[in-house]
Amino acid sequence: MKTELRDYPLTSTIIKLKTGRVQLTLIEDPDWFLERLSREDAQGKLYLPYWTYLWESSIGLAHHIEKMGARLKGSHILEIGCGFGLTGIVACQMGARVVFTDAEQEALRFAHHNAEQNSVSQRADFVQMDWNTPCFNRKFPYILAADVIYEEPHWTPIVTLLQAYLTHNGVALFSEPNRSNALGFFKLLTENHFVYQKTTYPVTLDGQTSQVCIYTVRRAA
């Protein structure tokens, strides 16, 4: 059944890859929605709906996933903070089965719609999940995460999620836009017996090119 999107001004974009392209339906004016949908929780913590943006980090991770190609065929993948679904869609195009997760139901609606219009929804599942309270009873050989470590309070829950859901020989792929505070997250990973390698991709979005860092994370031997 086709997923309908309502209540948002919509636009679309094409992400060009070496092996093809991904068509994405996006929110036309995310700045306006960032202000409209922001809120405080019971503890006074400000919530900002960053899912309303297409981020450079997701494009960089999409290119990296495409480069992995046949290695992903037949794999079961967990994506946390899927947003509009770009990276998971590319993994599906590579032959993987992907569980798209996001804390926001609206983000999942867009991810589902985008998976449908790229003809990969048969390889996808969509689960509303906050990484602070993960809900699976299985492990995954791959975990994807584009731009999820921007705030320090997220770090420990995400490391805990990796410990619980990454298979013994599994790989987690994190992308982030070369923020200085990211080093703190990877220090925490090292302290919790993970190792990582870093790759950098130039990504152009809205006429600006930035360097996106891809971290390949594994359990230490």
Side-chain angles (χ1 to χ4, degrees), residues 114-178:
N114 287 326
E116 287 177 334
Q117 70 180 351
N118 287 281
S119 303
V120 298
S121 58
Q122 73 279 7
R123 307 192 65 84
D125 296 293
F126 301 87
V127 178
Q128 186 174 10
M129 185 192 79
D130 187 325
W131 55 60
N132 291 281
T133 54
C135 58
F136 295 103
N137 59 4
R138 56 163 300 182
K139 295 180 183 288
F140 296 83
Y142 292 97
I143 295 177
L144 308 181
D147 216 345
V148 302
I149 58 171
Y150 49 88
E151 291 181 348
E152 186 173 350
H154 298 321
W155 296 353
T156 294
I158 290 173
V159 171
T160 300
L161 183 147
L162 292 184
Q163 291 170 325
Y165 294 118
L166 189 65
T167 59
H168 178 71
N169 294 315
V171 173
L173 296 171
F174 286 83
S175 64
E176 60 86 30
N178 208 23

Side-chain angles (χ1 to χ4, degrees), residues 1 16 21 41 55 64 69 82 111 138 141 150 184 193 212 217:
M1 186 170 74
K16 295 180 180 179
R21 65 182 201 167
D41 63 18
W55 296 102
H64 187 78
C82 69
R138 56 163 300 182
Y150 49 88
H193 312 295
V212 171
V217 177

Side-chain angles (χ1 to χ4, degrees), residues 13 36 49 60 122 155 158 164 173 186-188 196 206:
T13 191
R36 181 188 179 195
Q122 73 279 7
W155 296 353
I158 290 173
L173 296 171
F186 294 101
K187 180 175 183 292
L188 182 64
Y196 63 89
D206 297 331

Side-chain angles (χ1 to χ4, degrees), residues 92-104:
C92 289
Q93 291 177 334
M94 297 298 105
R97 177 91 195 182
V98 179
V99 180
F100 295 72
T101 72
D102 203 286
E104 294 298 317

